[in-house]
């Protein structure tokens, strides 16, 4: 296949991408010659809209990350989610105890890698115009704000890539990070940077975003805001094990009056279309009746009894962690109806979060800050962490909740309560990996210990290795 010369973007921000997967050959979505693609603030705004459109899942699945692939894999590769015995063959190898999903020929991992680097390539192109676009008084916002969002988008993509395709910060193989393109230079191959170099760049991008993103309008919860950057900082500090700063930034989000924690009464409707305007949400991927993923590719395709394939579910072990009065029991998670007809034993738990294709996909919401703070406090002040855990669950989800465990059991409970709250929102596999917690899936018997290479890192896609001879596979594959 010839190298791509140009990708196209309709001026509403809808990307028309090619089938090429290698990140080093991706060009930005433009309609004008490369040397004059972004000429004013209006076109800059369109280009930034294009970055957010790359978060969506398209109709052929060639673009797939935060809209479906990441939340799906985070659960299916963890201990609380699984693919049913009868399935469409999508994600079916995640249930194999021989860990055959973790292969460099995985189409899912190849799509994830390519999509995230496509986002980075387009962010690099946008940022190449920083300082060159004058403020247009007739255009809402400012160029500074637009570039701040591009920095935040790039930081988020690098955070996801390094957390999945490398080992933990200060873990094994610290020199085996990911490629770190920071300029728009098509067809230039790069070797892996170190894990620390990648995290240093994430910090630099978030710092740039924090100083710029508050300038001008931010378009509600469909674009990244200062609160989103604070949340991403909190994630960054958890990943780099600076728990004091992780706590500080989580508290900044909790103190932000522009957002409100999801109440017990708000649980029922939060994942409906009417819940899109709930004050809990900080950032979500926009879908609407005119801009939908295909029935085969969106998050609703494989999850819940309302989906096309009705194959991905939660485990009974997961469901048993919820008390009888937990407001999430029977609303977000159900053990009745369709799942009782399936041949799986134990019977699956229906995950009823996303049941409408035009429901925006939640990426950042305020309650995540509760759990980021709890994790940070576990490492710095576990007594306070225990007290805050009990207070939050009793106040917001289950009035009868009481937990008194200590040590590693407390950490596991914090992360379990996080998964009960944020199942299918993109956390479980990474949470376990970041904290060095091996696991065994009670439904599939898939087991990952901390010594296994599959726990440390995803393999690089073979297509990328074939194209970029400067890259080497993660040791152990």
């Amino acid at each position: 296949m010839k190298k791509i010369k140009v990708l196209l973007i309709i001026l509403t921000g809808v990307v028309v991408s090619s089938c090429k997967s290698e990140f080093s050959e991706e060009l930005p979505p433009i309609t004008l010659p490369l040397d004059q693609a972004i000429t004013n603030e209006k076109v800059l705004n369109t280009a930034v809209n294009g970055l957010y459109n790359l978060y969506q899942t398209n109709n052929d699945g060639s673009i797939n990350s935060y809209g479906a692939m990441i939340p799906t894999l985070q659960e299916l590769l963890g201990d609380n989610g699984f693919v049913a015995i009868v399935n469409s063959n999508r994600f079916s190898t995640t249930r194999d105890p021989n860990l055959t999903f973790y292969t460099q020929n995985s189409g899912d991992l190849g799509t994830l890698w390519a999509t995230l680097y496509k986002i980075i390539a387009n962010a690099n192109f946008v940022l190449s115009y920083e300082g060159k676009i004058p403020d247009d008084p007739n255009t809402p916002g400012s160029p500074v704000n637009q570039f701040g969002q591009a920095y935040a988008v790039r930081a988020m993509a690098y955070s996801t890539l390094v957390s999945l395709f490398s080992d933990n910060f200060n873990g094994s193989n610290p020199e085996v990070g990911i490629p770190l393109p920071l300029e728009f230079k098509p067809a230039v191959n790069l070797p892996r940077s170190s894990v620390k170099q990648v995290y240093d760049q994430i910090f630099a991008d978030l710092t740039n975003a924090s100083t710029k993103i508050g300038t001008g309008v931010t378009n509600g919860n469909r674009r990244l805001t200062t609160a989103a950057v604070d949340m991403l900082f909190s994630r960054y500090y958890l990943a780099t094990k600076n728990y004091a700063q992780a706590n500080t930034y989580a508290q900044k989000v909790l103190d932000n009056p522009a957002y409100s924690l999801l109440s017990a009464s708000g649980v029922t409707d939060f994942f409906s279309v009417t819940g899109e305007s709930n004050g809990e949400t900080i950032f979500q991927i926009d879908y609407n009746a005119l801009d939908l993923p295909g029935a085969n590719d969106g998050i609703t395709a494989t999850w819940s009894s309302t989906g096309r394939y009705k194959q991905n579910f939660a485990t009974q072990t997961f469901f048993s962690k919820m008390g009888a009065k937990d407001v999430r029991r029977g609303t977000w998670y159900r053990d009745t109806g369709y799942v009782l007809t399936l041949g799986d034993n134990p019977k699956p738990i229906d995950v009823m979060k996303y049941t409408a294709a035009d429901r925006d996909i939640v990426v950042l919401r305020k309650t995540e800050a509760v759990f980021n703070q709890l994790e940070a406090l576990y490492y710095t002040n576990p007594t306070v962490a225990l007290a805050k855990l009990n207070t939050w669950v009793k106040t917001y989800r289950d009035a009868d909740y009481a937990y008194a465990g200590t040590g590693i059991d407390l950490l596991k409970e914090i992360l379990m309560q996080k998964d009960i709250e944020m199942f299918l929102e993109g956390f479980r596999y990474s949470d376990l990996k970041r904290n060095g917690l091996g696991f065994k899936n009670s439904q599939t018997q898939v087991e990952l210990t901390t010594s296994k290479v599959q726990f440390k890192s995803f393999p690089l896609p073979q297509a990328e290795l074939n194209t970029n001879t400067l890259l080497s596979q993660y040791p152990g594959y």
Side-chain angles (χ1 to χ4, degrees), residues 91-323:
F91 309 112
S92 60
T93 55
T94 62
R95 60 174 293 126
D96 183 359
N98 293 316
L99 306 178
T100 54
F101 173 82
Y102 298 88
T103 170
Q104 56 207 44
N105 294 313
S106 166
D108 294 328
L109 296 185
T111 297
L112 180 59
W113 173 274
T115 301
L116 290 169
Y117 271 111
K118 193 172 293 183
I119 292 170
I120 290 167
N122 282 276
N124 286 345
F125 182 78
V126 170
L127 289 170
S128 72
Y129 285 86
E130 188 174 16
K132 302 175 184 178
I133 307 300
D135 190 8
D136 180 357
N138 297 316
T139 301
S142 72
V144 173
N145 170 268
Q146 305 287 350
F147 291 121
Q149 290 179 62
Y151 277 115
V153 165
R154 188 170 73 176
M156 192 170 172
Y158 274 131
S159 295
T160 303
L161 280 162
V162 75
S163 70
L164 296 176
F165 290 92
S166 300
D167 199 359
N168 290 339
F169 185 82
N170 287 340
S172 59
N173 299 302
E175 297 305 311
V176 186
I178 56 173
L180 196 61
L182 299 176
E183 298 178 346
F184 173 62
K185 292 183 176 180
V188 173
N189 292 326
L190 295 173
R192 289 180 183 259
S193 296
S194 72
V195 174
K196 183 179 184 302
Q197 286 172 326
V198 179
Y199 277 106
D200 286 347
Q201 185 59 48
I202 293 167
F203 177 82
D205 282 353
L206 290 178
T207 300
N208 268 313
S210 68
T211 62
K212 301 173 187 294
I213 211 166
T215 305
V217 297
T218 52
N219 202 27
N221 58 22
R222 271 74 172 188
R223 284 196 172 199
L224 296 170
T225 62
T226 53
V229 175
D230 287 340
M231 188 78 83
L232 294 175
F233 259 126
S234 183
R235 292 182 180 184
Y236 162 82
Y237 283 119
L238 284 180
T240 57
K241 306 185 189 309
N242 186 335
Y243 299 113
Q245 285 291 82
N247 182 19
T248 295
Y249 276 91
Q251 190 62 51
K252 286 183 68 174
V253 177
L254 294 172
D255 290 340
N256 191 320
Y259 306 92
S260 56
L261 289 174
L262 181 64
S263 65
S265 62
V267 164
T268 301
D269 293 331
F270 182 67
F271 284 98
S272 69
V273 174
T274 58
E276 291 178 354
S277 60
N278 193 290
E280 159 85 358
T281 304
I282 295 173
F283 172 66
Q284 56 192 356
I285 301 170
D286 186 26
Y287 285 114
N288 55 64
L290 300 177
D291 183 19
L292 294 176
N296 290 331
D297 303 303
I299 201 167
T300 58
T302 54
W303 287 98
S304 93
S305 58
T306 66
R308 179 162 188 171
Y309 298 109
K310 302 177 175 59
Q311 64 165 62
N312 297 348
F313 302 99
T315 68
Q316 284 281 349
T317 300
F318 170 79
F319 192 64
S320 70
K321 299 293 184 180
M322 285 172 260

Side-chain angles (χ1 to χ4, degrees), residues 374 382-392:
L374 289 173
T383 301
V384 173
L386 177 61
K388 283 182 174 287
L389 172 66
N390 276 283
T391 297
W392 180 82

